[in-house]
């Protein structure tokens, strides 16, 4: 049986096999086995002003806050200046979808409606450092076509606000400057949830939980972890859903095996269930480059698609991965198939 409880994790006590939760008041929950899959949140603590003057993009609450800010910008009488801090997958996808939204807003409203002037700041020498060459080149081309200003080798040193005006302070190897902004979106860095940080768990320098080949947390016997809140090897795996979904079945089996083995031990049964090591299989990567655009690579680069075809293929892949038929249909109709049907109806 599955009992769903929506609450906040306060901490984990692995010595007592208990977790502390808070749903209005703090309480303890005992466990025989534990799986940690709490994900990460935006880390705004390292840059002065980022916590109070930016909008993060890592949770559903962040999405609601961003949508509210964008609605206000859409109604502004002048162009709106948007700065996206970061140069990874989320940063690039967000910048291009903002550009797509700006274009759509202009088409749906009067020509005097606000448009976005978008700048993307990245401290590395190139955006999307972990992406395939094909996807990186596709993204760079779309950013140029969309008019997004890309600033590489540029660090964000602070974010300030005064008289209703935000400013993103940046620096490179030779100079410093300030970018005026109406909206600053923060996609620089992540950290585990407070409940993980409050726990005595083995963590690396980036505060990720250290797990072993069985997705089991180091120095524990019955605690497992998956997703980007964990580091499963010396060379960190990509922090994406593909890794977490592959880890999920392995961790679930190993947690079951651990409990089964413990039960067998209690009744002097020597039959032990073998744990399975996790091995990541790279199935490729997909990126949205706007509302009707995407790029994808798969099968070690044998499959390379971009544009509208890639957008439809990406939606199809997401639809297939949904757990129910209604969710599969929604994933399709919300994307390219829905747009095709709408265009047909207009004709």
């Amino acid at each position: 049986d599955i009992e769903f409880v929506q609450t906040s994790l306060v901490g984990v006590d692995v010595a007592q096999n208990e977790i502390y939760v808070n749903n209005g008041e703090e309480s303890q929950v005992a466990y025989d086995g534990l799986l940690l899959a709490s994900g990460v949140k935006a880390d705004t603590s390292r840059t002065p002003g980022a916590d109070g003057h930016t909008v993060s993009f890592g949770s559903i609450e962040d999405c609601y806050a961003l949508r509210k800010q964008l609605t206000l910008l859409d109604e502004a009488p002048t162009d709106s200046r948007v700065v996206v801090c970061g140069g990874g997958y989320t940063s690039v996808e967000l910048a291009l979808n903002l550009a797509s939204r700006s274009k759509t807003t202009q088409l749906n409203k009067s020509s005097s409606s606000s448009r976005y002037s978008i700048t993307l700041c990245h401290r590395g020498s190139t955006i999307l450092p972990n992406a395939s060459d094909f996807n990186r080149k596709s993204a760079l081309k779309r950013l140029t076509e969309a008019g997004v200003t890309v600033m590489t080798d540029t660090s964000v040193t602070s974010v300030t606000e005064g008289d209703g005006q935000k400013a993103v302070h940046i620096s490179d190897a030779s100079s410093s400057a300030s970018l005026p902004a109406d909206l600053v979106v923060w996609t620089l860095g992540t950290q585990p949830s407070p409940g993980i940080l409050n726990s005595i768990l083995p963590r690396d320098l980036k505060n990720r939980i250290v797990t072993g080949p069985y997705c089991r947390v180091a120095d524990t016997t019955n605690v497992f972890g998956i997703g980007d809140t964990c580091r499963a090897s010396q060379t960190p795996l990509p922090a994406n859903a593909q890794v977490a979904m592959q880890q999920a079945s392995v961790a679930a089996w190993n947690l079951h095996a651990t409990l089964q083995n413990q039960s067998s031990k209690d009744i002097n049964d020597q039959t032990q269930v073998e744990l399975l090591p996790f091995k990541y299989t790279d199935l490729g990567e997909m990126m949205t480059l706007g509302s009707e655009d995407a790029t994808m690579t798969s099968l070690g680069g044998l499959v390379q698609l971009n544009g509208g075809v890639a957008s439809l293929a990406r939606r199809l892949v997401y639809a297939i991965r949904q757990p129910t038929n209604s969710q599969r249909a929604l994933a399709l109709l919300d994307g390219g198939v829905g747009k095709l049907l709408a265009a047909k109806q207009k004709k």
Side-chain angles (χ1 to χ4, degrees):
D1 293 337
I2 298 176
E3 179 185 358
F4 173 73
V5 178
Q6 184 171 359
T7 186
S8 298
L9 178 67
V10 176
V12 180
D13 186 345
V14 294
Q16 300 298 322
N17 286 342
E18 292 179 334
I19 62 172
Y20 292 83
V21 298
N22 191 321
N23 193 19
E25 61 180 29
E26 190 171 304
S27 59
Q28 299 162 253
V29 179
Y31 65 82
D32 297 306
L34 178 64
L35 174 62
L36 298 170
S38 55
V40 294
K41 57 177 290 186
D43 184 3
T44 56
S45 63
R46 301 174 185 270
T47 304
D51 188 34
H53 306 307
T54 70
V55 177
S56 300
F57 192 67
S59 68
I60 188 64
E61 291 79 14
D62 292 339
C63 292
Y64 289 142
L66 178 59
R67 184 171 65 179
K68 181 178 179 180
Q69 292 295 317
L70 292 176
T71 300
L72 294 175
L73 295 186
D74 290 343
E75 301 299 329
T78 59
D79 290 359
S80 299
R81 298 157 298 187
V82 180
V83 177
V84 178
C85 301
Y89 292 104
T90 301
S91 313
V92 172
E93 289 182 317
L94 180 59
L96 284 168
N97 277 277
L98 287 174
S100 179
R101 176 191 172 98
S102 177
K103 181 179 179 181
T104 301
T105 300
Q106 284 186 298
L107 291 174
N108 292 340
K109 296 183 177 182
S110 65
S111 59
S112 61
S113 62
S114 171
R115 67 178 299 275
Y116 306 154
S117 173
I118 304 170
T119 301
L120 186 149
C121 299
H122 178 50
R123 66 181 179 183
S125 58
T126 181
I127 63 168
L128 300 171
N130 298 319
S132 67
D133 289 339
F134 178 80
N135 284 353
R136 186 184 304 108
K137 291 176 181 178
S138 296
L140 281 168
K141 180 181 179 181
R142 297 298 190 273
L143 286 165
T144 300
E145 293 172 346
V148 176
T149 301
V150 178
M151 305 180 69
T152 55
D153 294 313
T154 301
S155 297
V156 177
T157 57
S158 65
V159 182
T160 59
E161 182 171 4
D163 298 326
Q165 175 68 61
K166 295 182 177 64
V168 179
H169 305 282
I170 58 175
S171 65
D172 56 23
S174 59
S175 62
S176 59
S178 296
L179 302 175
D182 300 293
L183 173 65
V184 183
V185 186
W186 193 262
T187 62
L188 275 174
T190 59
Q191 63 178 347
S193 65
I196 299 299
L197 295 175
N198 289 339
S199 306
I200 302 177
L201 295 166
R203 298 197 296 268
D204 66 5
L205 294 177
K206 293 185 177 181
N207 276 323
R208 295 170 297 193
I209 302 170
V210 178
T211 60
Y214 303 107
C215 297
R216 183 163 52 194
V217 175
D219 303 324
T220 70
T221 59
N222 60 343
V223 181
F224 296 81
I226 64 173
D228 48 10
T229 193
C230 301
R231 194 198 74 196
S233 61
Q234 288 295 327
T235 302
L237 297 172
N240 58 32
Q242 182 182 163
V243 173
M245 292 177 72
Q246 291 183 31
Q247 288 176 323
S249 57
V250 174
W253 171 261
N254 288 343
L255 180 55
H256 163 76
T258 297
L259 298 178
Q260 186 71 24
N261 291 340
Q262 182 60 48
S263 177
S264 299
K265 182 179 179 180
D266 291 341
I267 60 176
N268 296 320
D269 186 344
Q270 298 304 311
T271 302
Q272 296 288 293
V273 182
E274 184 177 357
L275 274 64
L276 301 176
F278 173 71
K279 184 177 181 181
Y280 172 56
T281 301
D282 188 354
L283 302 177
E285 64 181 17
M286 305 182 294
M287 292 179 58
T288 172
L289 303 179
S291 60
E292 301 179 37
D293 197 358
T295 182
M296 63 185 299
T297 59
S298 187
L299 300 177
L302 294 178
V303 176
Q304 297 181 336
L305 299 172
N306 59 21
V309 174
S311 182
L312 287 172
R314 175 179 170 273
R315 282 288 178 179
L316 180 60
V317 170
Y318 274 114
I320 292 173
R321 299 295 296 184
Q322 298 303 309
T324 67
N325 288 332
S326 61
Q327 289 170 311
R328 295 185 188 104
L330 181 61
L332 282 174
L333 293 175
D334 189 45
V337 174
K339 289 169 185 171
L340 289 176
L341 292 176
K344 185 175 181 181
Q345 289 175 352
K346 289 181 179 179
K347 292 180 181 180

